[in-house]
Amino acid sequence: MIRLLIFIAILIVGLIAGPMLMNKTGYVLIALGHYTIETSGVVLAIAIVVLMGVIWCLDWLVRRIARSFGSSRSWFSDRSGRRAQKKASKAWEQLWQGQYGQAGAALSAAVPHAPLPDFPRLAAAYAEHRAGDIAERDRLLTELDQPLAGPAMLLHLGDTEAAHRAFSALNDNIKNSKSGISLAARLAKAEGDMATLWRHLDSLSETEQDQLFQPAFNARLAQAVAEGQASLSRLEQSLNKRSRQKTEVVAALALAYGRLGDKAKGLDLLMPIIKKDPQAAALAAMAQLVDHESAAHTQRQVLKWHHGRDHDPALLAALGALSQAQGDLREAKRYLEAALQLKEEPTWRKRLAEVLAKQGDYQGAVEQYRRLA
């Protein structure tokens, strides 16, 4: 606007200067009905410039007054917000001190004035939950801008039933989103619904899978064992590459085959893992699967792969179990004692007591059992 005014002013100044330089001021006659105005062109141009200046000054004055009234209205309208924020600051202190009823009311009052309303609303819901006002807690959670935050908060507070109701009330688009599936998986774990958790695992991130996979797998594994070997085989085939690399998963699967009478299949699953890295879970499962017929061959393989690793207590204990399965009680005792010197493990000490009892050293066996108590 100011640029346009400057441009028009320059044009008018040019119109004034031109006639003045030529000593010809010109003649202007303006007739409005019965009224006539006679003047020179220069005077008319000057009058127009002055009029434009007056208009610009009036415009500036009006805008300044409008801003002043706007600032005043803003100050008065924000006064209640400032008071609510001041109370909210005190509410945090009340929250930490356990004054949940007062803190919840103050935080609820601060919600309309907060830049992120969900934050004080969640805090108020927590305070109302601790104060025992469940209805007010649920009301606050239903007003959240993020719909999944309500069920997540209820799950965090330990009210699984209310979390389930709140999650079920959401529309399908929200529940089928990535965040919705993640929350459904955590809710299923809290409820013990491992079948639902197992269905949602593939949709979770790797970090969430690491946290939730094992309990869901164990439940699905127990179901497969109850259904028979065919179901167990289907479960094994459904595992992805990442799951097959988890020692705990393979060890549990191998023990499941052993419970169904197929110990050889269980050992076939375990031995590649033990060859690569003799982890305690795999070695412990191997010790439960070997029998007299397979113990000698299995021990030769383990010694071939990891000869000289006498600093690994889990490996020594596994070799002791293999020696016991072969009937070599002297070697079993030596391996188990070496393992217990490196690490105390009740299972190994109990096995050592069994070996001593078979050797006829009942006093030594009683001493081992006494240490277990």
Side-chain angles (χ1 to χ4, degrees), residues 15-26:
L15 292 173
I16 297 172
M20 291 181 67
L21 292 175
M22 294 185 298
N23 292 322
K24 294 180 180 180
T25 57

Side-chain angles (χ1 to χ4, degrees), residues 43-196:
V43 174
L44 179 62
I46 293 173
I48 293 174
V49 172
V50 172
L51 181 62
M52 290 179 61
V54 172
I55 293 173
W56 183 85
C57 291
L58 289 174
D59 176 69
W60 176 85
L61 182 60
V62 170
R63 286 189 284 107
R64 185 60 182 265
I65 293 173
R67 282 200 302 268
S68 299
F69 278 110
S71 299
S72 300
R73 285 196 304 271
S74 177
W75 187 89
F76 282 109
S77 63
D78 289 345
R79 184 169 180 268
S80 59
R82 290 193 298 271
R83 292 179 63 184
Q85 292 296 336
K86 186 176 180 180
K87 291 181 180 179
S89 300
K90 187 178 180 181
W92 292 112
E93 183 178 352
Q94 293 172 336
L95 188 62
W96 312 143
Q97 293 175 351
Q99 302 174 13
Y100 298 114
Q102 299 176 14
L107 289 167
S108 297
V111 167
H113 310 284
L116 297 173
D118 278 359
F119 184 67
R121 192 176 280 126
L122 282 171
Y126 171 80
E128 297 296 349
H129 173 82
R130 297 299 300 269
D133 192 347
I134 303 303
E136 180 63 15
R137 177 203 70 182
D138 293 343
R139 184 191 69 80
L140 289 166
L141 292 178
T142 55
E143 294 177 353
L144 291 168
D145 293 334
Q146 298 295 326
L148 287 172
M153 183 65 172
L154 292 169
L155 184 60
H156 173 73
L157 293 174
D159 195 342
T160 308
E161 184 178 351
H164 183 87
R165 288 197 305 269
F167 183 78
S168 300
L170 300 176
N171 63 57
D172 292 338
N173 290 334
I174 296 176
K175 289 191 287 188
N176 294 329
S177 65
K178 186 175 181 180
S179 300
I181 293 174
S182 175
L183 180 57
R186 290 190 285 120
L187 184 60
K189 181 177 182 294
E191 293 178 323
D193 185 1
M194 295 303 168
T196 301

